[in-house]
Amino acid sequence: MSDVKNILLVGVGGQGTILASKILTSGLMEAGYDVKMSEIHGMSQRGGSVSTQVRYGKEVLSPIVGKGSADVIVAFERMEALRWLEYLKVGGKMVVNDFKINPAPVNLGKAEYPDDIIEDLKTKCQVTAVKAGEIATDLGNAKAMNVVLLGALVKAIGSLDDVDWDAQIEKNVKPKFVELNKKAFKAGYDL
């Protein structure tokens, strides 16, 4: 049995999924894990889907998380949680940002955005719903929702408490946003 853990971070372009993944990867490497990360931008500059796959363990041979093998999925937007659900393994956990971004078909009136996504997900897997946008806004900047979600992810994983996450934030975030992001991480972790 493999000791490799699989994490999938999914969202919409501009939500900070890649920065959150870089902080996570940096922390995992500090903890002594072999880490592989793969990112797919898609049409991210036009509000399209962005996904990052992070795998860590004693020895990781590939950066790819296959369908049905993610231990944790972090969805930065509700619809992305549904889109990537088939990648979650049985017994896996999902951290979902209770946040809505209408995709192009909805904006064009060609589709409707489902209202009950989180309730539907809860019938299929273990879900932690996070109002990361509201939390980040209360802290002073809605863009910090990615680090709120990162804090919630680290809490969901449950075995990374010995990592100095503040140091990882300092390494990966622009200096003027470091304190805000430290608070955002703590807020997500403390949920």
Side-chain angles (χ1 to χ4, degrees):
M1 183 118 173
S2 173
D3 73 330
V4 174
K5 299 294 182 195
N6 301 303
I7 301 171
L8 187 59
L9 295 95
V10 298
V12 174
Q15 287 192 287
T17 56
I18 293 172
L19 175 61
S21 298
K22 287 180 179 176
I23 296 169
L24 175 63
T25 299
S26 179
L28 291 169
M29 288 189 309
E30 179 191 287
Y33 292 106
D34 182 21
V35 183
K36 302 286 188 282
M37 181 177 110
S38 173
E39 49 190 70
I40 300 171
H41 301 269
M43 294 290 291
S44 62
Q45 291 182 350
R46 299 184 192 267
S49 187
V50 175
S51 68
T52 306
Q53 300 177 12
V54 177
R55 302 186 73 225
Y56 71 98
K58 184 176 178 184
E59 181 181 24
V60 180
L61 302 176
S62 166
I64 305 301
V65 176
K67 290 181 180 177
S69 64
D71 294 283
V72 183
I73 294 178
V74 181
F76 286 55
E77 194 275 340
R78 293 186 302 228
M79 185 80 80
E80 292 300 311
L82 268 184
R83 185 175 305 188
W84 291 91
L85 179 62
E86 66 185 333
Y87 283 80
L88 190 65
K89 75 177 190 179
V90 173
K93 298 176 183 179
M94 186 170 289
V95 176
V96 181
N97 188 8
D98 192 357
F99 190 77
K100 175 182 171 182
I101 298 175
N102 285 334
V106 172
N107 287 334
L108 294 171
K110 297 187 184 235
E112 290 193 25
Y113 193 104
D115 289 328
D116 55 353
I117 291 174
I118 292 177
E119 292 76 23
D120 183 37
L121 288 169
K122 286 180 178 179
T123 67
K124 297 174 171 113
C125 62
Q126 182 180 340
V127 175
T128 300
V130 179
K131 292 190 179 292
E134 291 177 20
I135 293 167
T137 299
D138 289 347
L139 292 172
N141 189 332
K143 288 190 171 199
M145 76 171 79
N146 60 336
V147 181
V148 172
L149 291 166
L150 177 61
L153 166 63
V154 169
K155 181 71 170 218
I157 292 170
S159 62
L160 300 172
D161 291 336
D162 55 340
V163 174
D164 184 348
W165 292 105
D166 283 349
Q168 303 315 310
I169 290 168
E170 289 169 8
K171 262 198 260 188
N172 290 282
V173 174
K174 291 179 182 175
K176 70 180 183 176
F177 298 114
V178 165
E179 290 308 314
L180 167 68
N181 281 281
K182 286 179 181 180
K183 290 177 187 172
F185 182 91
K186 183 176 181 344
Y189 186 87
D190 289 345
L191 289 173

